[in-house]
Amino acid sequence: MCTAAVATLPLLLHALTAGTASAAPADPAPPPLPLPYSGVRSVHPGDTLAVAARTGRLADGEAVDSAAFLAPGRLRMMAPVLTAAVTVACDVRPGTYPVRLTASRGDAERPPGQGGFWARVRVEPAGAAARRACRKKVERLPPPEREERWAPGTGWPQTEWDVRTFRAGSRVAVTDDFDEGLDGEVALTSEAFTGRVVLRGARAVLTATAVIRCGAAPGLYPVYRHGPGGAADPDPWARLRVAAAPPGAVCPPPQADGRGSALAAADLAGWTAGGALLAGTLTILLTRRTRSRRRTEVPGTPPPADG
């Protein structure tokens, strides 16, 4: 039996080694090739390029595009720089192609469709096998990263993808610099909030304080904007990530809608004033009736029956 065990040991080791090798993760994808401003980068079909620049000349949300790319990339803030990733198309012909920046919103200096020059890429020749490998690589590419990372000192949210993490039960300062002059007319709702949040401010920036529900499960939550008409915009106005509350945390009370509170206070005041007026009127009527009855009574006779 000992001889048989020794004979089978190499087979067991081989099986274990093969199982470990098959379970090992695949090699990570190579990092993107940097594409600096005003340079010329030699590339092959399937290569991924990275554009990085500080804010100033460029703005968050601008598209990085070229006839050599599989699809446009989008500049996202990854503090302290704006970054975008693009992939060279598998069927692009060899040659030199310009890379341009296209504004995502109305821009007097760079209107949509009339982008500014960034760099050039020189696509090298590729054979049929290389192009087949490119197509397989493209199929495995992850979706573009959309969540942004802004500096901690900046107000939230800077964009709809400025995803920051807040603990359940915490208070969150919200800023809005796109709704100037709409004091009290814009509200925010989210399943992460304890209630409706009304933005207020007499100047260009509107602010509010939102409270994260203690019972909110960890995860990503959209925030929706309600304009002056009250209807919610179809697309999220912002997004946030909720983290679990620390042990022993005391949750703040639910917040109330500022306009709702004002209306409730006005209703209460109105009911109070109306009640006081009604009580005063009844008192006057009862006093007058008592005086009238005293005047009509005759000593020694029963009082007249009512009605």
Side-chain angles (χ1 to χ4, degrees):
M1 294 181 62
C2 292
T3 303
V6 172
T8 57
L9 182 59
L11 298 176
L12 293 174
L13 291 176
H14 177 74
L16 291 174
T17 303
T20 304
S22 61
D27 294 336
L33 302 173
L35 183 61
Y37 174 71
S38 192
V40 180
R41 162 67 71 176
S42 178
V43 297
H44 297 84
D47 284 347
T48 300
L49 309 175
V51 173
R54 294 187 178 275
T55 57
R57 181 174 180 271
L58 304 183
D60 180 88
E62 290 194 62
V64 181
D65 199 8
S66 172
F69 295 161
L70 184 67
R74 187 73 63 184
L75 284 171
R76 303 286 185 185
M77 172 57 75
M78 292 294 169
V81 296
L82 295 165
T83 64
V86 289
T87 301
V88 179
C90 297
D91 297 324
V92 62
R93 294 182 178 182
T96 301
Y97 297 84
V99 178
R100 296 187 177 277
L101 299 172
T102 304
S104 59
R105 301 182 179 91
D107 189 340
E109 297 182 358
R110 190 161 53 247
Q114 300 180 15
F117 171 80
W118 176 258
R120 289 183 175 87
V121 292
R122 184 173 58 249
V123 180
E124 302 294 343
R131 295 184 186 278
R132 285 195 299 269
C134 174
R135 295 187 188 95
K136 292 181 180 179
K137 176 184 176 182
V138 167
E139 291 176 356
R140 297 193 299 267
L141 287 176
E145 178 63 43
R146 291 189 287 184
E147 292 189 20
E148 300 176 349
R149 183 177 66 249
W150 289 78
T154 56
W156 177 82
Q158 294 291 320
T159 68
E160 64 272 21
W161 283 104
D162 177 13
V163 180
R164 306 194 198 185
T165 301
F166 305 101
R167 286 189 176 274
S170 63
R171 296 180 180 273
V172 178
V174 185
T175 59
D176 175 17
D177 56 1
F178 289 101
D179 291 310
E180 180 179 0
L182 296 180
D183 176 31
E185 299 184 42
V186 176
L188 306 175
T189 58
S190 174
E191 292 186 0
F193 296 163
T194 58
R196 188 184 183 93
V197 179
V198 178
L199 291 163
R200 299 193 177 278
R203 297 185 180 181
V205 178
L206 306 182
T207 61
T209 299
V211 180
I212 307 299
R213 291 190 301 108
C214 275
L220 186 68
Y221 290 83
V223 178
Y224 293 95
R225 174 189 177 277
H226 299 254
D233 295 338
D235 298 323
W237 181 78
R239 294 168 178 82
L240 60 92
R241 182 167 281 104
V242 174
V250 178
C251 291
Q255 62 198 111
D257 184 342
R259 288 182 294 181
S261 299
L263 290 174
D267 290 343
L268 179 60
W271 278 103
T272 303
L277 179 62
L278 178 61
T281 303
L282 290 176
T283 300
I284 293 173
L285 292 175
L286 289 174
T287 301
R288 289 179 178 177
R289 182 173 181 180
T290 301
R291 289 177 180 176
S292 177
R293 291 181 61 180
R294 286 178 180 176
R295 290 175 182 174
T296 57
E297 288 179 357
V298 178
T301 63
D306 293 335

